[in-house]
Structure formats: C-alpha cells, structure tokens
Amino acid sequence: MLTLENVTKRYGTLTALDGVSLRIEAGEFFGLLGPNGAGKSTLMSLVAGLRAPDAGRLTLNGQPLSAANSAARAALGLVPQHIALYPKLSAEQNLRIFGQLYGLGGALLRDRINEGLEAMQLADRRRDRVETFSGGMQRRLNIIASLLHRPKLLLCDEPTVGVDPQSRNAIFEFLEKLNREGLTVIYSTHYMEEATRLCSRIGIIDHGKIPALGTLDELLLKLPFEEEIRFPRTEATTALVAKLGACGAVEPGDEHYRFRPQPGYKLSSFYQLTESLGLPARHFTSQRPTLEALFLHLTGRNLRE
Amino acid sequence: MRTILVLVRKDFANFFANKAAVSLTFIVPFVLIWLFGAVFGVNRKDSGPTGIPLAVVNASTNPGAEKLIQALRAEKAFKVITQYKADDKTERPLREADLAALMRANEFRFAVVIPEDLFSEKQLGLHLKIYTNPRNEIETQLVNGILQKTIFSNVPQLLGQSLVARGRGVVGAENMARFNQATADNIARSFGGDSAQILKNIESGDFTGGLPAGGAGAGGDSLLSQVIRIESIQVAGQDVKSPAATRIVGGWAMQFLLFALSAAATGLFYERDQGIFHRIMAGPVSRAQIMWSKFTFGVCIGMLQLVTLFLAGRILYGIDVEHHIGFLLLICAFAAAACTAFGMLLAAVSPSPEAASGLATFSILLMSAIGGAWFPVTLMPEFIQQVSKFTLVYWAMEGFSQVLWANVTFLELLPTLGILSGMTALVMAIAVWRFNRGKIFG
Ligand SMILES: Nc1ncnc2c1ncn2[C@@H]1O[C@H](COP(=O)(O)OP(=O)(O)OP(=O)(O)O)[C@@H](O)[C@H]1O
Ligand SMILES: [Mg+2]
C-alpha cells in the first residue's frame, strides 16, 4: 500500500530521516517505535504530504505522494501529535468543520460524527467547548476528527500522550476495531507496551534510521539471547554462578543475578545443572526479552532517556 | 471555494466564541466613540463645557466692569464667583489677595481680576488680570478662549472706552473733547439725531447707540461686528450634521479594526502550533486556501465592524448613513481589505505571536496617530502630513469623509479606492511572499 524508498529529509544541517526504506501492506497495524527526536513525526509529515523529501520516493497504492496530489491524500488521515482542535468551539462544531473540509455534509456527516462520539464515549459532551475537556478527552476527539472521511490509511502520531489507562484502552479498542474492519494504521509511539500490544509489525526508529523491522517475534530473534533467567543472590547460588560463566553472561544485580545464555545454549542443560546443585526450580524465573532490551542492544541507549 | 467558505465560517465561529475579540472589535470602539463624542460636544447645539468655576474680583468703579461681569455670568461655560465666604459664614466681595489661597485649595482654577485701571491712557486695550491654575492645557485654552469671546463679543463698549481713553492719552484731553464734539455734530448733521446724546455716547465709548433707526447702527449690531464680519461658508458636507462625528467614528473604528485583524492574523501562529494546519493540509486544504480564507474573513468582519459603528454613529450623532450606504459599504470593504492585508503582513514578518502583537500595538498606534484617526492631519507639521499619506488609515479616513461628508461621486471616490486597493495588493504580495518563505506552514 505505502512504500518509502531511500527517503531522506533534512532540516538545515540536521538529518531527520536518513535513507529510510519501508513497505507497508494494506490492513497492517504498523508501529514506529522510537525515542524523542527519532524522526517519527517527520516521517508522518512526509507521508501526509506536508513536507517534501530531500531525496527518495514515497508512493501510496503506486501513486506518488506529494502536496500536489490531493486525490492520493484524500485516502489518508492524520492524527497530529498535538491536539489540533479549536478550543473555543464545541466538540461537534470542530468535527463538523473538519468533516466539511473533506467535502462531507448533511446526514452522512451527522451520522459519522455521532458514530465517532459514541465510540469514544464523548457523546454526552458533544456541545461543550473543547477547552473544557480533559487531556484524555481531547486526545480522543483528536482521533475522531481524523476518521470522519473514512481514510484507508491512518497516521497516528503518538495519540495517547497524557492519557489515563482507561481512556488509553478505549482508544486501543477503537483503533483495533477499525483495523479489523480493514483500516491500515501507522502508529508512532515511544511506549514499548503500546507497540507490543497493538502492532502487527514494528519498525524501530532512531536518529532517522530504521535499524530493525519486523513482527515482534522476528525482532526479538535479533537479540543474541533468547531468554533471560533471574535468580536470587544467595550463598547457594554462588556455586551455580561459577559454573555458568562458560555458558553465557551473568550480571549481578542488587538482589538478583541475571543470566543470559549464549546462542544455542539449551535451557534443558541449565535445569540439569540446577538440579545437580539441589537448587529448587522456584528460584528461577525466565523472562522473554523485551523491545526495550532490543532497543538497548541496537542503539546502546534506553528507549526513554 | 467551498473549502474557503468552510474556513471563513470557522473563523467567524471562533471569533464570536472569543469574548475578548468581540469586545475589542465592537464594544470598546463604541464606548470610545460615545465618550469622545460627548467630550467634544459633537452634534450638540449647546456644545462646550458648562459650569467651570470662575472667580471675578472687581476693583474698578467703571460701569463697564459691571457689564463685563454680567456678560461672564451670562456665559454658561462659567459659574461666576464674586463673593468670599469666611469661616464664620459671613460673606464679602472677593479680593485679589484671596485668590492665591483659594486656587491652591482648588476652589476654582481660573480667576479674572478687573483692576482699578481697567483702561489706561498709555495703552490701547483693556487691562485685565487672569489667574490660572492650569490642571490641563486643554481646559486652560478653552477657558481663555471663552473669556476672550465673552469680552470681545459682549462688551464692545469696553473696547470703545479703551479707544477713547487711549485717544485722550495721545492727543490730550482738550483736543479729544474738541474732536469728539466735531464728530458728534457731523454725525448729527449727516444722519440725524441729537448731537449732545451722540457726544455722550462717544465719550462713553459706545459706538452703537444714539443713531436713529435705519442708520449705520441699525439692527443693534455692534460696531465691531460690522467692522469684522466673518461669514463662513461650508463648501462640502452641507447636510452632514457634524464632520467631527465622522472622524471620531471612522478613526476609532479603524484603529480597533486594525487591532482585531492583527489579532486574527496572529491566530495563524496558534493554528500552526496546534498542528491544525498539519491536520487540514494533510487533507484537501492548500496554503492558498488558508490565506484566502483569512483574507476573506478579515474583509467580512471589517465591513461588519465599520458598518455597525457607523450605524452607531447614525444613532448617536446623526451621521447620514442611509443616503450613502452604497458608497459607505464600498469604502468600508476597501478599508477592511487594507487592514486585513496589514494584519497578515504583521503575522508574516514576525517570528512569534508575541513579537507580532508587540509590533501591532506600536505600528497601529503610530499609524492611527499620524494617519488622522485621532485628530485632523491638517493640525500636524508639514513633514508628518506628507508621511501620513503613506498610511492606510489616512486614506480610509479620507474615504469616509468623502463618502459621508463631501457627497462625492463615484468618479471622485475612485482615486481613494484605487490607492487603498494598491496598498492592499502590495502589502498582501509581501505577506504571501514572506509566508511562503517563513515558518508558518513549515
Ligand atoms: N521544523 C523543524 N525544523 C527543524 N528541525 C526539526 C523540525 N522538526 C523536527 N526537527 C528535528 O528533526 C528531528 C526529528 O524530529 P521529529 O519531530 O520527527 O521527532 P519525533 O520522533 O517525532 O520526536 P517526538 O517523540 O519528540 O515527537 C529532531 O531532531 C528535531 O529536532
Ligand atoms: Mg513527534
């Protein structure tokens, strides 16, 4: 559906996007996971035709995407990172304006406004000014406003900043429902949990590059260790640590050790070892590695600075 | 086109949802128009101030002095005080020595002393002392003006006496008496009348009476008013009740329209920072449509404001709006367009909304002052009069008075419209150029 080929974007001397290539298929829920300043919003603005790339090509369904190509952009909805609403106007007035700008009107627009407000649980506040809404409510309205014209591709730029867990869930469920109904979503975030829960495919973005791209499982496979085993720091485990040195890396924490086995190391041999030392199995918890760990591994930095 | 319409409607909704903007555009200028009209007595028959306390000390025994006091009492601008009230409630005539203390106590700010030597033989004219404690210059000038008016117009006899006294001083009393006698005889012989009565009048400085009816002094006109006769003929604006009202309404309306439209243009920053431009430009809206919608909105709100305030001027001061409504709408549209362009330029050249509103305040006040929104350009120094022709306020004011006051034809109005639209085009061109290079849509 959407392809980016070697897309580069500079602001003066700063390279915000550095030769990004990407292919997103129809129906995907694609996550862009990266810290502040990684280039997420820049990528979104290029796809939305708000800025032109300095190099490379963007196409939507084979058609070049640009400011001039408004037909292609009609299939696109952007949920801006900011709450892009008129605070002095009511929720309904805001939605009507944005709907009318897309050429909607009459009963159709009314129905879609109602539908959106219902889905986001804002129907009873429809006549109130947006400035009287809580941050979470404004975020939800911000999303409805981008969906009135039923885009095929929705660009969500960090749509849940400052939203409480309940509202967040409402947003997730709404987006997941739309995705099931066929909407393609590109969702940028710096929350690992969001990417993990929502996205069918994730691109990790940092310093304008996408060093890793794939499903969650594919990404986690890129970590040189598959599991991490934690156990308490006791006298009994000291003997174990001495023997594990040859099989992987052991990191001492304050109260726990963390063991990351070498690639190819069989967990069964680990448990044979613990049994031979007479250590009970309940001491050991094995954890799946996380995107956070992957990000650290790829960039040497934490996702949240 | 439809997109622009939606955007303009949006701007209107936003505008009327913003109480500060509405009051700045309509209510504040209305109050100022009303206040200024009241202060300057626009369109009141009995214009001018009333009841300014004026102390009068009479040290002269000349009967003319009493006449002068009567005249001052008759002048409604003054409340004449001649008595001094002591603490024990007793009253006596004011003395010159009382004045300083009373004025310092702010009992009154102006006093006239008629000294013993009301007339002198050495000098032509009256000798009066005027004490002032000028709280403000305008009041002082006003009081001086009214005093002079009262003295010159109501008591010409005093000046006649002054003339006679001066004559006596120059030629000597004996020669003067002989001259007066000869004059009286001559007048009696030529125009009729009693020579003795005429002589008496001449000696008392009264050049008005003593002649038979139908003669030179007919109608009771004073000699002075015959000597200097001013007839003022208004070439334009015969049917407008007050040209000052046109200035006050047009001036304040323009100034606050400029403020309102600069604020509206500065709203572009807000919409950018909120990401609203990103939202709508990701959709089917272009930069040009955003700019044109802002421009259209500015012209609409500007016309609405100007026409509303001129209608208020109709109610308050009887400005003849209804007979000129067509041209008035025209000039208002052109003035509003120029103001809108100006607001857009401010937003285009400013790096931030704060900078824009600072620049707006400064340039709007400056332009209003030198453009003639506050007082007529003709009162300003020559150099500023030249500069003011480069302001849009000047041409808008010019247009308003042309339409509402001078009854111009369309052809006569055309140059003003041309200059306003030229300014609009130039300023808009610069604004659009700056917008395209600047960061507002970045
Ligand atoms: N208009 C601009 N002018 C100059 N530099 C910019 C502009 N917009 C973004 N940048 C820079 O480009 C880089 C990428 O910014 P971008 O907004 O795309 O990051 P992001 O991933 O969206 O970050 P965040 O999570 O904070 O929203 C940053 O270093 C930023 O400072
Ligand atoms: Mg961003």
Side-chain angles (χ1 to χ4, degrees), chain B residues 403-433:
Chain B
V403 167
L404 289 175
W405 182 24
N407 262 332
V408 290
T409 62
F410 180 68
L411 233 64
E412 287 169 318
L413 187 60
L414 214 50
T416 308
L417 297 181
I419 290 169
L420 279 174
S421 48
M423 283 181 166
T424 307
L426 181 71
V427 171
M428 266 314 269
I430 301 173
V432 170
W433 172 69

Side-chain angles (χ1 to χ4, degrees), chain B residues 150-285:
Chain B
T150 313
I151 293 163
F152 285 117
S153 64
N154 291 345
V155 200
Q157 192 191 352
L158 287 174
L159 283 171
Q161 282 190 18
S162 160
L163 216 63
V164 172
R166 173 90 173 115
R168 205 177 289 130
V170 172
V171 302
E174 209 174 312
N175 282 335
M176 189 69 189
R178 224 179 296 137
F179 172 77
N180 285 346
Q181 183 62 63
T183 309
D185 288 347
N186 262 322
I187 292 173
R189 226 186 349 266
S190 310
F191 299 100
D194 177 8
S195 157
Q197 178 64 39
I198 295 172
L199 178 64
K200 220 178 113 206
N201 282 343
I202 292 176
E203 284 184 336
S204 72
D206 181 357
F207 298 105
T208 63
L211 294 177
D221 279 354
S222 77
L223 182 67
L224 267 182
S225 67
Q226 287 174 48
V227 172
I228 306 164
R229 217 182 128 135
I230 300 167
E231 235 179 300
S232 79
I233 298 160
Q234 218 173 294
V235 176
Q238 309 256 21
D239 55 356
V240 84
K241 293 206 182 113
S242 171
T246 310
R247 167 170 313 284
I248 290 174
V249 174
W252 288 117
M254 280 298 284
Q255 183 177 331
F256 281 88
L257 181 58
L258 281 167
F259 276 122
L261 292 178
S262 308
T266 312
L268 288 169
F269 285 104
Y270 173 80
E271 292 180 69
R272 173 199 67 183
D273 293 341
Q274 287 297 299
I276 287 178
F277 285 159
H278 279 186
R279 178 193 285 291
I280 63 181
M281 283 163 64
V285 180

Side-chain angles (χ1 to χ4, degrees), chain A residues 11 14 16 35-42 51 81 158 190:
Chain A
Y11 299 110
L14 187 141
N36 292 133
K40 303 183 294 292
S41 296
T42 302
R51 295 190 174 95
Q81 184 170 359
E158 303 194 36
H190 57 255

Side-chain angles (χ1 to χ4, degrees), chain A residues 68-243:
Chain A
N69 192 347
S70 62
R73 278 184 296 127
L76 216 118
L78 172 68
V79 182
Q81 184 170 359
H82 291 276
I83 293 166
L85 301 165
Y86 296 103
K88 299 254 178 233
L89 304 184
S90 72
E92 206 168 5
Q93 274 177 306
N94 267 284
L95 294 179
R96 205 171 312 125
I97 289 164
F98 295 123
Q100 284 169 345
L101 285 177
Y102 276 97
L104 301 175
L108 179 69
L109 179 57
R110 205 168 340 110
D111 290 347
R112 290 200 180 160
I113 289 175
N114 288 340
E115 206 178 310
L117 289 172
E118 296 288 344
M120 290 295 204
Q121 295 147 27
L122 287 173
D124 53 332
R125 297 292 302 268
R126 60 196 304 153
R127 283 188 224 297
D128 296 350
R129 285 188 180 197
V130 169
E131 65 187 357
T132 68
F133 282 22
S134 73
M137 291 161 76
Q138 294 182 0
R139 284 274 162 209
R140 282 182 269 158
L141 192 63
N142 202 33
I143 296 175
I144 305 174
S146 310
L147 287 167
L148 294 168
H149 63 292
R150 296 290 182 263
K152 302 271 179 298
L153 173 63
L154 185 69
L155 307 168
C156 289
D157 197 358
E158 303 194 36
T160 60
V161 177
V163 175
D164 65 51
Q166 230 172 332
S167 294
R168 189 179 293 229
N169 247 331
I171 293 174
F172 290 168
E173 279 165 20
F174 187 58
L175 291 177
E176 282 172 329
K177 174 173 164 276
L178 291 168
N179 179 243
R180 277 196 303 276
E181 290 166 7
L183 178 71
T184 311
V185 182
I186 302 182
Y187 188 103
S188 89
T189 178
H190 57 255
Y191 296 120
M192 172 190 80
E193 302 82 4
E194 291 192 350
T196 310
R197 158 160 182 190
L198 292 168
C199 302
S200 55
R201 219 152 56 96
I202 297 166
I204 291 190
I205 181 166
D206 187 47
H207 289 311
K209 288 199 164 96
I210 300 191
L213 183 70
T215 63
L216 186 61
D217 290 335
E218 286 166 359
L219 285 175
L220 293 180
L221 278 177
K222 291 193 201 275
L223 276 171
F225 46 90
E226 285 168 3
E227 311 259 0
E228 186 180 274
I229 298 169
R230 260 161 52 113
F231 48 91
R233 253 179 113 146
T234 61
E235 264 178 50
T237 53
T238 320
L240 173 67
V241 170
K243 299 208 166 176

